[in-house]
Amino acid sequence: MNFFAVHYSYADGAEAVVALRPEHREFLKGLKDEGKLVASGPYTDGGGSALILIRLPESATVADAEELMNQDPFHRDRVLDDRTIRAWNPVLNIFPED
């Protein structure tokens, strides 16, 4: 499996983010149900950013991760200030394999 770290930046409490959050969480639930979501959640410093960890097949690239995450309502409706997706190598992997 290949892992990808997806960093979102957005205005904490922004009306558009709050309005889309239920749909965004349904999108993430779908990824979880498909076995693609490893973890997700906001940073706790109040800065309005979040981290999403996804896993895709061994052949997957950053472009594949971008294509998948383009379906997120937060990206689709352009409420993010920034999004960065990077390949990630969990050298000490604590996440269970399916």
Side-chain angles (χ1 to χ4, degrees):
M1 292 299 222
N2 278 343
F3 290 84
F4 299 89
V6 182
H7 296 269
Y8 281 180
S9 294
Y10 48 83
D12 195 27
E15 186 175 316
V17 171
V18 172
L20 281 173
R21 186 166 285 132
E23 191 176 350
H24 162 73
R25 287 188 176 159
E26 280 299 312
F27 169 76
L28 293 177
K29 181 185 178 307
L31 294 183
K32 180 179 180 275
D33 292 346
E34 294 170 8
K36 295 176 182 174
L37 180 69
V38 176
S40 69
Y43 293 105
T44 59
D45 60 5
S49 298
L51 172 64
I52 302 167
L53 295 176
I54 58 174
R55 67 175 161 218
L56 299 176
E58 194 67 36
S59 61
T61 64
V62 169
D64 296 317
E66 288 174 346
E67 184 177 328
L68 175 67
M69 296 309 293
N70 284 349
Q71 298 171 45
D72 186 341
F74 278 2
H75 177 79
R76 181 198 66 212
D77 288 10
R78 302 179 190 268
V79 300
L80 299 173
D81 295 330
D82 190 39
R83 180 185 80 174
T84 304
I85 300 175
R86 297 176 66 186
W88 180 61
N89 180 19
V91 175
L92 297 175
N93 186 356
I94 62 168
F95 303 112
E97 292 289 330
D98 291 339

